[in-house]
Amino acid sequence: MIFATRYFIAYVLDLILGDPEFFYHPVRVIGKLISFLEKKLYNFKNKKLTGGILVFLVLTITFGVSYILAISKITEIFFLYTTLATKCLADEGKKIYEILKSNDIERAKKEVSYLVSRDTGRMDEQQVIRSVVETIAENSVDGVIAPMFFAIIGSFFTWNEVSLALPFAMTYKAINTMDSMLGYKNEKYIDFGMIGAKVDDVANFLPARIAGGVIIPIGAFILRMDYKNTWRIFLRDRLNHGSPNSGHGEAAFAGALGLQFGGKTSYFGKIYDKPTIGDKKRDFILDDIKNARKLLYISSGIGLIVFLILSQLIKVVL
């Protein structure tokens, strides 16, 4: 079975299964490993060094275990599916959409608090919707396009006749998980999490730009959204973000949906005036969540097609 077929099956499994509650997701295992190593390494004096050791150990262990899992094509397909998060991300949006539709704003704010680090207690409906749409936009890259990118890159390499697609994709997930757990610029993690954050910046550099500049605009065109505005806002606002990569996907989404992200946001009781992304043509409405989910799904499909076609063309040339 060629890799393109195996990866297509993995993609379909994600669309069908998502993140079922009965399954202990590999990212949770990676998170447990990070927490364990943090407890062992954090109290040493040179936190940049020990943070770097943590990064090395997490990536080495993840790559090694994933390589063993990739020996069997069945387990390779299954665990490749777990590196994708299209349905999981879309389902989170749908859940909050249904709650808001029933006018239960308090429950909606509670659900949003599981998705974002910003304060949710005083949010109104528009702020809840904005948080959900921004989350879908940002995670369209690190939850979908970037794992695809690294799986396809890994598929060009083998070790003892075992494809490195799964080790590459799962190691990316480990990088992303480390950044989400340790990549804060606060007193606790400014040094200890520095190397992990830098590795995440490097890993997302190409996927973010491919997603924001190519895949999402094509998705907007297919969905008859404002694809010209998608490119315009992407080129203008993609760097209006604290992260060097996160703004690319958000800018493309904001342009396609005709919305403005950013602005005043509360974190841990303090208001921050974040740079804005997109033009404020109108206020957020409930259907923006539905449209963001549609753009997420179509972009994931386009990403799959683009990467698989390019990989086959490159293999023919090589």
mmCIF file of all heavy atoms in Angstrom, residues 135-180:
data_model
loop_
_atom_site.group_PDB
_atom_site.id
_atom_site.type_symbol
_atom_site.label_atom_id
_atom_site.label_comp_id
_atom_site.label_asym_id
_atom_site.label_seq_id
_atom_site.Cartn_x
_atom_site.Cartn_y
_atom_site.Cartn_z
ATOM 1 N N THR A 135 -9.712 30.714 17.616
ATOM 2 C CA THR A 135 -9.116 29.426 17.961
ATOM 3 C C THR A 135 -9.100 28.488 16.764
ATOM 4 O O THR A 135 -8.092 27.818 16.489
ATOM 5 C CB THR A 135 -9.883 28.776 19.135
ATOM 6 O OG1 THR A 135 -9.799 29.623 20.282
ATOM 7 C CG2 THR A 135 -9.311 27.410 19.474
ATOM 8 N N ILE A 136 -10.206 28.424 16.044
ATOM 9 C CA ILE A 136 -10.263 27.582 14.846
ATOM 10 C C ILE A 136 -9.239 28.057 13.817
ATOM 11 O O ILE A 136 -8.521 27.256 13.212
ATOM 12 C CB ILE A 136 -11.675 27.595 14.241
ATOM 13 C CG1 ILE A 136 -12.656 26.871 15.174
ATOM 14 C CG2 ILE A 136 -11.687 26.950 12.856
ATOM 15 C CD1 ILE A 136 -14.117 26.968 14.746
ATOM 16 N N ALA A 137 -9.152 29.380 13.633
ATOM 17 C CA ALA A 137 -8.224 29.937 12.648
ATOM 18 C C ALA A 137 -6.782 29.612 13.002
ATOM 19 O O ALA A 137 -6.003 29.145 12.155
ATOM 20 C CB ALA A 137 -8.424 31.452 12.562
ATOM 21 N N GLU A 138 -6.409 29.862 14.240
ATOM 22 C CA GLU A 138 -5.013 29.625 14.654
ATOM 23 C C GLU A 138 -4.654 28.143 14.596
ATOM 24 O O GLU A 138 -3.590 27.756 14.103
ATOM 25 C CB GLU A 138 -4.783 30.168 16.068
ATOM 26 C CG GLU A 138 -3.356 29.973 16.551
ATOM 27 C CD GLU A 138 -3.108 30.571 17.923
ATOM 28 O OE1 GLU A 138 -4.020 31.222 18.475
ATOM 29 O OE2 GLU A 138 -1.994 30.381 18.449
ATOM 30 N N ASN A 139 -5.555 27.301 15.076
ATOM 31 C CA ASN A 139 -5.252 25.876 15.154
ATOM 32 C C ASN A 139 -5.428 25.141 13.827
ATOM 33 O O ASN A 139 -5.084 23.964 13.727
ATOM 34 C CB ASN A 139 -6.116 25.231 16.236
ATOM 35 C CG ASN A 139 -5.641 25.585 17.627
ATOM 36 O OD1 ASN A 139 -4.667 25.045 18.135
ATOM 37 N ND2 ASN A 139 -6.317 26.533 18.252
ATOM 38 N N SER A 140 -5.950 25.825 12.818
ATOM 39 C CA SER A 140 -5.997 25.212 11.494
ATOM 40 C C SER A 140 -4.597 24.907 10.994
ATOM 41 O O SER A 140 -4.393 23.985 10.198
ATOM 42 C CB SER A 140 -6.716 26.133 10.503
ATOM 43 O OG SER A 140 -5.986 27.343 10.301
ATOM 44 N N VAL A 141 -3.613 25.654 11.486
ATOM 45 C CA VAL A 141 -2.217 25.416 11.094
ATOM 46 C C VAL A 141 -1.600 24.319 11.947
ATOM 47 O O VAL A 141 -1.224 23.255 11.447
ATOM 48 C CB VAL A 141 -1.379 26.710 11.195
ATOM 49 C CG1 VAL A 141 0.088 26.412 10.870
ATOM 50 C CG2 VAL A 141 -1.914 27.764 10.244
ATOM 51 N N ASP A 142 -1.496 24.532 13.269
ATOM 52 C CA ASP A 142 -0.762 23.552 14.082
ATOM 53 C C ASP A 142 -1.560 22.290 14.371
ATOM 54 O O ASP A 142 -0.986 21.266 14.752
ATOM 55 C CB ASP A 142 -0.250 24.174 15.388
ATOM 56 C CG ASP A 142 -1.336 24.846 16.209
ATOM 57 O OD1 ASP A 142 -2.511 24.488 16.057
ATOM 58 O OD2 ASP A 142 -1.004 25.733 17.014
ATOM 59 N N GLY A 143 -2.892 22.322 14.147
ATOM 60 C CA GLY A 143 -3.679 21.119 14.368
ATOM 61 C C GLY A 143 -3.932 20.306 13.117
ATOM 62 O O GLY A 143 -4.315 19.137 13.199
ATOM 63 N N VAL A 144 -3.698 20.920 11.945
ATOM 64 C CA VAL A 144 -4.048 20.234 10.685
ATOM 65 C C VAL A 144 -2.927 20.344 9.650
ATOM 66 O O VAL A 144 -2.310 19.341 9.265
ATOM 67 C CB VAL A 144 -5.357 20.792 10.089
ATOM 68 C CG1 VAL A 144 -5.726 20.031 8.818
ATOM 69 C CG2 VAL A 144 -6.501 20.716 11.108
ATOM 70 N N ILE A 145 -2.656 21.555 9.173
ATOM 71 C CA ILE A 145 -1.748 21.735 8.044
ATOM 72 C C ILE A 145 -0.308 21.357 8.402
ATOM 73 O O ILE A 145 0.369 20.673 7.616
ATOM 74 C CB ILE A 145 -1.806 23.185 7.517
ATOM 75 C CG1 ILE A 145 -3.251 23.543 7.125
ATOM 76 C CG2 ILE A 145 -0.853 23.357 6.341
ATOM 77 C CD1 ILE A 145 -3.854 22.654 6.080
ATOM 78 N N ALA A 146 0.167 21.776 9.554
ATOM 79 C CA ALA A 146 1.561 21.471 9.926
ATOM 80 C C ALA A 146 1.810 19.975 10.113
ATOM 81 O O ALA A 146 2.815 19.453 9.605
ATOM 82 C CB ALA A 146 1.955 22.249 11.186
ATOM 83 N N PRO A 147 0.928 19.227 10.814
ATOM 84 C CA PRO A 147 1.150 17.774 10.888
ATOM 85 C C PRO A 147 1.142 17.109 9.514
ATOM 86 O O PRO A 147 1.922 16.188 9.260
ATOM 87 C CB PRO A 147 -0.015 17.280 11.750
ATOM 88 C CG PRO A 147 -0.466 18.452 12.515
ATOM 89 C CD PRO A 147 -0.193 19.649 11.660
ATOM 90 N N MET A 148 0.244 17.567 8.613
ATOM 91 C CA MET A 148 0.246 17.057 7.239
ATOM 92 C C MET A 148 1.594 17.312 6.571
ATOM 93 O O MET A 148 2.178 16.429 5.928
ATOM 94 C CB MET A 148 -0.844 17.745 6.412
ATOM 95 C CG MET A 148 -2.242 17.236 6.625
ATOM 96 S SD MET A 148 -3.347 18.088 5.447
ATOM 97 C CE MET A 148 -4.914 17.383 5.951
ATOM 98 N N PHE A 149 2.069 18.541 6.691
ATOM 99 C CA PHE A 149 3.328 18.949 6.075
ATOM 100 C C PHE A 149 4.463 18.033 6.516
ATOM 101 O O PHE A 149 5.238 17.534 5.686
ATOM 102 C CB PHE A 149 3.618 20.405 6.448
ATOM 103 C CG PHE A 149 4.956 20.908 5.991
ATOM 104 C CD1 PHE A 149 5.122 21.373 4.693
ATOM 105 C CD2 PHE A 149 6.035 20.935 6.856
ATOM 106 C CE1 PHE A 149 6.359 21.849 4.260
ATOM 107 C CE2 PHE A 149 7.276 21.409 6.438
ATOM 108 C CZ PHE A 149 7.435 21.868 5.131
ATOM 109 N N PHE A 150 4.570 17.784 7.813
ATOM 110 C CA PHE A 150 5.682 16.975 8.315
ATOM 111 C C PHE A 150 5.506 15.493 7.995
ATOM 112 O O PHE A 150 6.494 14.785 7.779
ATOM 113 C CB PHE A 150 5.870 17.212 9.815
ATOM 114 C CG PHE A 150 6.591 18.487 10.106
ATOM 115 C CD1 PHE A 150 5.900 19.628 10.483
ATOM 116 C CD2 PHE A 150 7.964 18.560 9.957
ATOM 117 C CE1 PHE A 150 6.557 20.827 10.712
ATOM 118 C CE2 PHE A 150 8.637 19.749 10.185
ATOM 119 C CZ PHE A 150 7.938 20.892 10.561
ATOM 120 N N ALA A 151 4.267 15.023 7.935
ATOM 121 C CA ALA A 151 4.047 13.643 7.518
ATOM 122 C C ALA A 151 4.498 13.440 6.074
ATOM 123 O O ALA A 151 5.149 12.439 5.745
ATOM 124 C CB ALA A 151 2.573 13.269 7.672
ATOM 125 N N ILE A 152 4.159 14.397 5.217
ATOM 126 C CA ILE A 152 4.548 14.296 3.804
ATOM 127 C C ILE A 152 6.066 14.390 3.673
ATOM 128 O O ILE A 152 6.678 13.626 2.910
ATOM 129 C CB ILE A 152 3.862 15.396 2.969
ATOM 130 C CG1 ILE A 152 2.343 15.229 3.006
ATOM 131 C CG2 ILE A 152 4.374 15.374 1.542
ATOM 132 C CD1 ILE A 152 1.835 13.898 2.508
ATOM 133 N N ILE A 153 6.699 15.305 4.395
ATOM 134 C CA ILE A 153 8.168 15.406 4.353
ATOM 135 C C ILE A 153 8.792 14.094 4.824
ATOM 136 O O ILE A 153 9.720 13.564 4.204
ATOM 137 C CB ILE A 153 8.654 16.565 5.241
ATOM 138 C CG1 ILE A 153 8.186 17.908 4.686
ATOM 139 C CG2 ILE A 153 10.189 16.533 5.355
ATOM 140 C CD1 ILE A 153 8.727 18.261 3.326
ATOM 141 N N GLY A 154 8.263 13.547 5.917
ATOM 142 C CA GLY A 154 8.795 12.289 6.443
ATOM 143 C C GLY A 154 8.624 11.124 5.493
ATOM 144 O O GLY A 154 9.421 10.170 5.512
ATOM 145 N N SER A 155 7.590 11.191 4.640
ATOM 146 C CA SER A 155 7.329 10.077 3.721
ATOM 147 C C SER A 155 8.418 9.920 2.669
ATOM 148 O O SER A 155 8.509 8.879 2.014
ATOM 149 C CB SER A 155 5.970 10.270 3.033
ATOM 150 O OG SER A 155 6.022 11.327 2.083
ATOM 151 N N PHE A 156 9.251 10.932 2.500
ATOM 152 C CA PHE A 156 10.365 10.839 1.552
ATOM 153 C C PHE A 156 11.547 10.048 2.126
ATOM 154 O O PHE A 156 12.481 9.720 1.398
ATOM 155 C CB PHE A 156 10.849 12.235 1.172
ATOM 156 C CG PHE A 156 9.919 12.968 0.250
ATOM 157 C CD1 PHE A 156 9.064 13.942 0.734
ATOM 158 C CD2 PHE A 156 9.890 12.678 -1.105
ATOM 159 C CE1 PHE A 156 8.201 14.616 -0.110
ATOM 160 C CE2 PHE A 156 9.031 13.342 -1.959
ATOM 161 C CZ PHE A 156 8.179 14.314 -1.465
ATOM 162 N N PHE A 157 11.507 9.783 3.428
ATOM 163 C CA PHE A 157 12.642 9.143 4.082
ATOM 164 C C PHE A 157 12.221 7.806 4.697
ATOM 165 O O PHE A 157 11.091 7.648 5.176
ATOM 166 C CB PHE A 157 13.198 10.051 5.192
ATOM 167 C CG PHE A 157 13.619 11.405 4.706
ATOM 168 C CD1 PHE A 157 12.755 12.494 4.779
ATOM 169 C CD2 PHE A 157 14.875 11.594 4.150
ATOM 170 C CE1 PHE A 157 13.132 13.745 4.324
ATOM 171 C CE2 PHE A 157 15.273 12.848 3.692
ATOM 172 C CZ PHE A 157 14.400 13.914 3.775
ATOM 173 N N THR A 158 13.132 6.863 4.671
ATOM 174 C CA THR A 158 12.930 5.569 5.339
ATOM 175 C C THR A 158 14.172 5.225 6.141
ATOM 176 O O THR A 158 15.282 5.702 5.844
ATOM 177 C CB THR A 158 12.666 4.440 4.324
ATOM 178 O OG1 THR A 158 13.787 4.334 3.433
ATOM 179 C CG2 THR A 158 11.393 4.687 3.536
ATOM 180 N N TRP A 159 13.964 4.414 7.139
ATOM 181 C CA TRP A 159 15.073 3.909 7.954
ATOM 182 C C TRP A 159 14.804 2.412 8.161
ATOM 183 O O TRP A 159 13.793 2.038 8.726
ATOM 184 C CB TRP A 159 15.127 4.656 9.285
ATOM 185 C CG TRP A 159 16.282 4.287 10.151
ATOM 186 C CD1 TRP A 159 17.416 3.607 9.806
ATOM 187 C CD2 TRP A 159 16.431 4.595 11.548
ATOM 188 N NE1 TRP A 159 18.255 3.469 10.873
ATOM 189 C CE2 TRP A 159 17.683 4.071 11.961
ATOM 190 C CE3 TRP A 159 15.637 5.270 12.476
ATOM 191 C CZ2 TRP A 159 18.142 4.189 13.275
ATOM 192 C CZ3 TRP A 159 16.100 5.388 13.774
ATOM 193 C CH2 TRP A 159 17.338 4.853 14.173
ATOM 194 N N ASN A 160 15.692 1.587 7.624
ATOM 195 C CA ASN A 160 15.471 0.140 7.632
ATOM 196 C C ASN A 160 14.125 -0.220 7.005
ATOM 197 O O ASN A 160 13.378 -1.057 7.513
ATOM 198 C CB ASN A 160 15.559 -0.422 9.058
ATOM 199 C CG ASN A 160 16.968 -0.324 9.625
ATOM 200 O OD1 ASN A 160 17.954 -0.369 8.893
ATOM 201 N ND2 ASN A 160 17.053 -0.168 10.945
ATOM 202 N N GLU A 161 13.820 0.482 5.906
ATOM 203 C CA GLU A 161 12.599 0.267 5.124
ATOM 204 C C GLU A 161 11.322 0.668 5.859
ATOM 205 O O GLU A 161 10.220 0.298 5.453
ATOM 206 C CB GLU A 161 12.497 -1.191 4.659
ATOM 207 C CG GLU A 161 13.655 -1.624 3.756
ATOM 208 C CD GLU A 161 13.471 -3.030 3.211
ATOM 209 O OE1 GLU A 161 12.511 -3.701 3.615
ATOM 210 O OE2 GLU A 161 14.290 -3.437 2.384
ATOM 211 N N VAL A 162 11.448 1.433 6.928
ATOM 212 C CA VAL A 162 10.287 1.950 7.664
ATOM 213 C C VAL A 162 10.131 3.427 7.330
ATOM 214 O O VAL A 162 11.075 4.211 7.476
ATOM 215 C CB VAL A 162 10.446 1.765 9.186
ATOM 216 C CG1 VAL A 162 9.263 2.400 9.930
ATOM 217 C CG2 VAL A 162 10.580 0.298 9.538
ATOM 218 N N SER A 163 8.940 3.829 6.878
ATOM 219 C CA SER A 163 8.675 5.222 6.547
ATOM 220 C C SER A 163 8.791 6.099 7.794
ATOM 221 O O SER A 163 8.348 5.724 8.889
ATOM 222 C CB SER A 163 7.263 5.362 5.960
ATOM 223 O OG SER A 163 6.899 6.731 5.853
ATOM 224 N N LEU A 164 9.365 7.283 7.614
ATOM 225 C CA LEU A 164 9.505 8.218 8.736
ATOM 226 C C LEU A 164 8.372 9.248 8.781
ATOM 227 O O LEU A 164 8.466 10.239 9.488
ATOM 228 C CB LEU A 164 10.857 8.926 8.656
ATOM 229 C CG LEU A 164 12.093 8.024 8.755
ATOM 230 C CD1 LEU A 164 13.355 8.878 8.822
ATOM 231 C CD2 LEU A 164 12.012 7.098 9.965
ATOM 232 N N ALA A 165 7.294 8.994 8.039
ATOM 233 C CA ALA A 165 6.157 9.921 8.037
ATOM 234 C C ALA A 165 5.575 10.089 9.442
ATOM 235 O O ALA A 165 5.362 11.213 9.911
ATOM 236 C CB ALA A 165 5.083 9.435 7.078
ATOM 237 N N LEU A 166 5.302 8.977 10.114
ATOM 238 C CA LEU A 166 4.736 9.053 11.465
ATOM 239 C C LEU A 166 5.712 9.671 12.460
ATOM 240 O O LEU A 166 5.308 10.569 13.225
ATOM 241 C CB LEU A 166 4.276 7.674 11.936
ATOM 242 C CG LEU A 166 3.748 7.618 13.377
ATOM 243 C CD1 LEU A 166 2.538 8.523 13.546
ATOM 244 C CD2 LEU A 166 3.399 6.178 13.780
ATOM 245 N N PRO A 167 6.983 9.258 12.507
ATOM 246 C CA PRO A 167 7.908 9.915 13.429
ATOM 247 C C PRO A 167 8.016 11.426 13.213
ATOM 248 O O PRO A 167 8.066 12.189 14.181
ATOM 249 C CB PRO A 167 9.246 9.214 13.128
ATOM 250 C CG PRO A 167 8.855 7.854 12.680
ATOM 251 C CD PRO A 167 7.595 8.066 11.876
ATOM 252 N N PHE A 168 8.020 11.867 11.951
ATOM 253 C CA PHE A 168 8.094 13.297 11.685
ATOM 254 C C PHE A 168 6.832 14.006 12.184
ATOM 255 O O PHE A 168 6.914 15.043 12.845
ATOM 256 C CB PHE A 168 8.261 13.548 10.174
ATOM 257 C CG PHE A 168 9.682 13.595 9.708
ATOM 258 C CD1 PHE A 168 10.585 12.602 10.067
ATOM 259 C CD2 PHE A 168 10.133 14.609 8.886
ATOM 260 C CE1 PHE A 168 11.900 12.624 9.627
ATOM 261 C CE2 PHE A 168 11.440 14.653 8.437
ATOM 262 C CZ PHE A 168 12.332 13.660 8.804
ATOM 263 N N ALA A 169 5.659 13.463 11.864
ATOM 264 C CA ALA A 169 4.397 14.099 12.251
ATOM 265 C C ALA A 169 4.207 14.111 13.762
ATOM 266 O O ALA A 169 3.804 15.126 14.340
ATOM 267 C CB ALA A 169 3.221 13.385 11.585
ATOM 268 N N MET A 170 4.522 12.983 14.411
ATOM 269 C CA MET A 170 4.331 12.903 15.866
ATOM 270 C C MET A 170 5.354 13.759 16.603
ATOM 271 O O MET A 170 5.044 14.346 17.653
ATOM 272 C CB MET A 170 4.407 11.454 16.332
ATOM 273 C CG MET A 170 3.857 11.230 17.732
ATOM 274 S SD MET A 170 2.078 11.581 17.880
ATOM 275 C CE MET A 170 1.376 10.089 17.145
ATOM 276 N N THR A 171 6.564 13.848 16.071
ATOM 277 C CA THR A 171 7.568 14.717 16.692
ATOM 278 C C THR A 171 7.141 16.174 16.579
ATOM 279 O O THR A 171 7.358 16.970 17.502
ATOM 280 C CB THR A 171 8.945 14.502 16.035
ATOM 281 O OG1 THR A 171 9.337 13.135 16.204
ATOM 282 C CG2 THR A 171 9.999 15.395 16.672
ATOM 283 N N TYR A 172 6.516 16.535 15.458
ATOM 284 C CA TYR A 172 5.960 17.888 15.364
ATOM 285 C C TYR A 172 4.925 18.123 16.457
ATOM 286 O O TYR A 172 4.904 19.188 17.094
ATOM 287 C CB TYR A 172 5.322 18.147 14.003
ATOM 288 C CG TYR A 172 4.510 19.421 14.046
ATOM 289 C CD1 TYR A 172 5.134 20.662 14.012
ATOM 290 C CD2 TYR A 172 3.126 19.386 14.241
ATOM 291 C CE1 TYR A 172 4.407 21.830 14.139
ATOM 292 C CE2 TYR A 172 2.392 20.550 14.362
ATOM 293 C CZ TYR A 172 3.037 21.769 14.311
ATOM 294 O OH TYR A 172 2.305 22.937 14.472
ATOM 295 N N LYS A 173 4.044 17.141 16.684
ATOM 296 C CA LYS A 173 3.036 17.287 17.739
ATOM 297 C C LYS A 173 3.688 17.474 19.104
ATOM 298 O O LYS A 173 3.188 18.223 19.945
ATOM 299 C CB LYS A 173 2.103 16.072 17.756
ATOM 300 C CG LYS A 173 1.289 15.862 16.492
ATOM 301 C CD LYS A 173 0.371 17.038 16.191
ATOM 302 C CE LYS A 173 -0.795 17.132 17.153
ATOM 303 N NZ LYS A 173 -1.771 18.177 16.734
ATOM 304 N N ALA A 174 4.821 16.813 19.311
ATOM 305 C CA ALA A 174 5.551 16.978 20.570
ATOM 306 C C ALA A 174 6.099 18.398 20.681
ATOM 307 O O ALA A 174 6.044 19.018 21.761
ATOM 308 C CB ALA A 174 6.682 15.957 20.648
ATOM 309 N N ILE A 175 6.622 18.931 19.582
ATOM 310 C CA ILE A 175 7.125 20.307 19.566
ATOM 311 C C ILE A 175 6.003 21.281 19.914
ATOM 312 O O ILE A 175 6.159 22.177 20.746
ATOM 313 C CB ILE A 175 7.715 20.647 18.176
ATOM 314 C CG1 ILE A 175 8.995 19.846 17.934
ATOM 315 C CG2 ILE A 175 7.989 22.145 18.054
ATOM 316 C CD1 ILE A 175 9.504 19.931 16.506
ATOM 317 N N ASN A 176 4.860 21.088 19.285
ATOM 318 C CA ASN A 176 3.716 21.964 19.503
ATOM 319 C C ASN A 176 3.195 21.864 20.936
ATOM 320 O O ASN A 176 2.797 22.866 21.537
ATOM 321 C CB ASN A 176 2.624 21.602 18.496
ATOM 322 C CG ASN A 176 1.493 22.603 18.476
ATOM 323 O OD1 ASN A 176 0.360 22.276 18.789
ATOM 324 N ND2 ASN A 176 1.782 23.835 18.107
ATOM 325 N N THR A 177 3.204 20.651 21.475
ATOM 326 C CA THR A 177 2.732 20.448 22.850
ATOM 327 C C THR A 177 3.671 21.100 23.852
ATOM 328 O O THR A 177 3.218 21.718 24.834
ATOM 329 C CB THR A 177 2.602 18.943 23.155
ATOM 330 O OG1 THR A 177 1.742 18.338 22.178
ATOM 331 C CG2 THR A 177 2.017 18.714 24.544
ATOM 332 N N MET A 178 4.977 20.984 23.617
ATOM 333 C CA MET A 178 5.945 21.650 24.499
ATOM 334 C C MET A 178 5.729 23.152 24.508
ATOM 335 O O MET A 178 5.776 23.798 25.565
ATOM 336 C CB MET A 178 7.373 21.336 24.058
ATOM 337 C CG MET A 178 7.874 19.983 24.500
ATOM 338 S SD MET A 178 9.652 19.752 24.215
ATOM 339 C CE MET A 178 9.680 19.753 22.427
ATOM 340 N N ASP A 179 5.495 23.721 23.332
ATOM 341 C CA ASP A 179 5.289 25.169 23.268
ATOM 342 C C ASP A 179 4.027 25.577 24.015
ATOM 343 O O ASP A 179 4.015 26.591 24.715
ATOM 344 C CB ASP A 179 5.202 25.607 21.806
ATOM 345 C CG ASP A 179 5.050 27.112 21.666
ATOM 346 O OD1 ASP A 179 5.968 27.835 22.096
ATOM 347 O OD2 ASP A 179 4.020 27.565 21.136
ATOM 348 N N SER A 180 2.959 24.787 23.880
ATOM 349 C CA SER A 180 1.701 25.125 24.558
ATOM 350 C C SER A 180 1.814 24.984 26.069
ATOM 351 O O SER A 180 1.112 25.673 26.812
ATOM 352 C CB SER A 180 0.560 24.246 24.035
ATOM 353 O OG SER A 180 0.763 22.898 24.393
#
